[in-house]
Amino acid sequence: MMNKNYTIKEYTAVMDERLKKAFPGEKDIVTEAMSYSLEAGGKRIRPVLTLEFCRLCGGDITEALPLAEAVEMVHTYSLIHDDLPCMDDDDMRRGRPSCHKQFGEAYALLAGDGLLTYAFYNIADSEFAKKNPSAAVKAVKILSECAGKDGMIGGQTIDLLSENKSISEEELRHMDALKTGMLIKAAALLGCVAAGADEDKMKAAEEFCDNLGLAFQVVDDILDVEGDESLFGKPVGSDAQSGKSTYVTLMGLEKAKQLAAALTSNAVNALIPFGEQAAFLKELALSLLTRKN
Amino acid sequence: MMNKNYTIKEYTAVMDERLKKAFPGEKDIVTEAMSYSLEAGGKRIRPVLTLEFCRLCGGDITEALPLAEAVEMVHTYSLIHDDLPCMDDDDMRRGRPSCHKQFGEAYALLAGDGLLTYAFYNIADSEFAKKNPSAAVKAVKILSECAGKDGMIGGQTIDLLSENKSISEEELRHMDALKTGMLIKAAALLGCVAAGADEDKMKAAEEFCDNLGLAFQVVDDILDVEGDESLFGKPVGSDAQSGKSTYVTLMGLEKAKQLAAALTSNAVNALIPFGEQAAFLKELALSLLTRKN
């Protein structure tokens, strides 16, 4: 794969194609369920970040592909488990029956477990890991830390603990930073690791993601009251109606819009060390701010 | 830690002590749940195999400790998820309320996810991984492969698919080889990896585990109809009464006993390449054959 500049559509097409072939051979029902959810699509923002940060740091994006797949597998497992009856109890996901609605709860549980497990296999079994074992170890460490009890799972825990009660803006920010922010950060850092980027570049990537991830959530809350359908496919107004604290309920619509713009501006500024090469990520950040769904 | 010979009690004590300290610092409810299940004890057979195979292959067992912990974390996550209402719906585990009975389903689900994720972090964050990244990558690969869709999860899938119907002895063997055998094998292989063992030793370890793991299951079925309580704490006769196919229902008690003895003998023979140093594992295999619970 040449290291030219890619459009988001090209990246998404590459990922969709790769993820379709993630589990070759005969499939049992759990592997079918894994593929069903992994192939359901979505914007593939996390793997796109992995690939683009790899390119931006001067790496060959072929090296980053298994890492990008691993991040999307972890993201998909978290959606499957989040949708289970004991969690959010969602029947639909991306316009299709959720995994447990399609395959039953037990198989969906195992499909989530299977995807999480395979994410690490996907890294450890890659050509990249053979050529660069210490970078692969770093990737496993970042992904497991960001997805684990002090990362995404920690955020899900706060979310469960704060059900049916209002929380402060600070608590909401902390929850979002863990629940969605950490995996977004992992995605970018894995791209840096694939390219062998230095600490300064990794710090800039973190700064970009911290702001992008939070902006993403604020915009989600705005769309929840203004838009047709939020990015995550939730019905309009579902969060606001459920009595959950959102950026909009906590600070009002106008201030929430200002916050989203300020965070996006911070994200864009974090890209300065990357120079003109960062045009893609700048555009991505701005398009997430102005998205309508 | 000196590389002397250990008794199983010493190994278990070392592991119990280490696992108590697995998650230092302040704990949220999910981390509490992770610790609750991880510290619940049990025979710690898998980590004992990791440590002893490391010693047997001439390694320093200090190197193998993070790998042994990782295997036990994966085993514990599988028990938590297995006990959930959508799976076996077990209220009790090792004489205490199961994780979801103690903490609720949502937190138990996340605790299982957290342990599985942390297992890989535990390897990637270790001193061993710093010193020996390619061996650490190998360990991640073995553990994720043996625990995943083509290993333990594959076995759980067959188990779910064969509920309420009788299966052949061959199918039962295949299910057990995946469901419990693969993680036992991973445990032993991780010990070999920690010691930098050669392919021949790894092959011998696999041969030992394939036979030991199956013998273990056959004895479990025998104890289910004969014993006070099976190793896994199931009530006496629970499998036989549930209409599930077991080695005893499929081949009768006497033939099942002969099979267990033959498998144990195969396991012991597989140890020949290790010479007299393998006395511990030989004794372990024989003690599992003649155990009463």
Side-chain angles (χ1 to χ4, degrees), chain A residues 1-277:
Chain A
M1 196 175 285
M2 297 278 294
N3 233 18
K4 60 158 190 146
N5 288 5
Y6 289 86
T7 64
I8 193 157
K9 270 196 180 168
E10 285 170 328
Y11 273 142
T12 308
V14 167
M15 283 313 301
D16 284 346
E17 201 51 43
R18 293 271 305 194
L19 292 170
K20 252 185 222 163
K21 296 173 188 157
F23 316 121
E26 217 183 316
K27 285 178 186 171
D28 66 12
I29 184 169
V30 165
T31 313
E32 284 288 354
M34 289 162 69
S35 290
Y36 173 85
S37 292
L38 194 60
E39 292 173 19
K43 291 192 162 42
R44 311 287 191 205
I45 286 172
R46 292 161 196 79
V48 167
L49 286 174
T50 307
L51 299 178
E52 177 62 10
F53 267 101
C54 173
R55 191 198 65 79
L56 196 53
C57 296
D60 174 354
I61 72 163
T62 315
E63 310 278 12
L65 283 169
L67 309 185
E69 289 164 0
V71 174
E72 191 68 1
M73 287 171 190
V74 170
H75 174 56
T76 305
Y77 118 77
S78 78
L79 298 181
I80 295 175
H81 282 189
D82 258 357
D83 285 343
L84 285 172
C86 71
M87 298 286 285
D88 291 350
D89 196 10
D90 276 322
D91 289 355
M92 298 293 286
R93 166 70 64 183
R94 291 168 175 161
R96 299 201 302 172
S98 53
C99 192
H100 67 276
K101 273 286 149 185
Q102 188 71 15
F103 293 93
E105 261 186 81
Y107 296 117
L109 173 69
L110 292 179
D113 293 342
L115 280 166
L116 174 58
T117 310
Y118 205 90
F120 296 106
Y121 179 76
N122 208 60
I123 296 175
D125 186 49
S126 65
E127 279 303 312
F128 173 70
K130 276 196 199 89
K131 280 191 286 183
N132 209 336
S134 48
V137 166
K138 212 169 172 182
V140 169
K141 186 175 164 180
I142 289 168
L143 185 57
S144 57
E145 187 165 23
C146 292
K149 69 182 185 62
D150 300 318
M152 185 176 72
I153 291 175
Q156 290 168 312
T157 306
I158 297 172
D159 198 14
L160 284 171
L161 287 169
S162 58
E163 250 175 25
N164 305 317
K165 67 175 183 190
S166 59
I167 57 175
S168 69
E169 191 200 324
E170 197 190 337
E171 289 167 320
L172 183 59
R173 272 186 184 232
H174 179 57
M175 181 186 88
D176 283 338
L178 294 177
K179 197 182 166 195
T180 53
M182 288 292 266
L183 198 61
I184 288 174
K185 188 149 79 183
L189 291 178
L190 260 54
C192 297
V193 167
D198 61 27
E199 279 303 312
D200 284 351
K201 285 191 175 159
M202 292 184 77
K203 278 253 181 306
E206 280 199 46
E207 180 74 13
F208 173 76
C209 289
D210 286 348
N211 284 286
L212 184 80
L214 203 47
F216 201 84
Q217 287 300 316
V218 179
V219 173
D220 221 40
D221 285 352
I222 294 168
L223 288 171
D224 193 46
V225 293
E226 276 203 333
D228 295 332
E229 190 197 32
S230 84
L231 186 61
F232 296 123
K234 288 178 294 190
V236 180
S238 61
D239 276 353
Q241 281 162 19
S242 73
K244 265 191 163 177
S245 298
T246 76
Y247 295 99
V248 175
T249 63
L250 286 170
M251 56 203 308
L253 190 56
E254 277 319 302
K255 283 221 163 145
K257 284 183 179 179
Q258 286 165 22
L259 177 61
L263 290 164
T264 303
S265 168
N266 292 347
V268 169
N269 285 336
L271 296 170
I272 291 173
F274 296 107
E276 283 182 14
Q277 282 291 313

Side-chain angles (χ1 to χ4, degrees), chain B residues 153-181:
Chain B
I153 291 175
Q156 289 168 312
T157 306
I158 298 173
D159 198 12
L160 283 171
L161 287 169
S162 58
E163 251 175 23
N164 305 316
K165 66 176 187 188
S166 60
I167 56 176
S168 69
E169 191 201 324
E170 196 190 339
E171 290 166 320
L172 183 60
R173 272 186 183 231
H174 179 57
M175 180 185 88
D176 284 338
L178 293 178
K179 196 182 167 194
T180 54

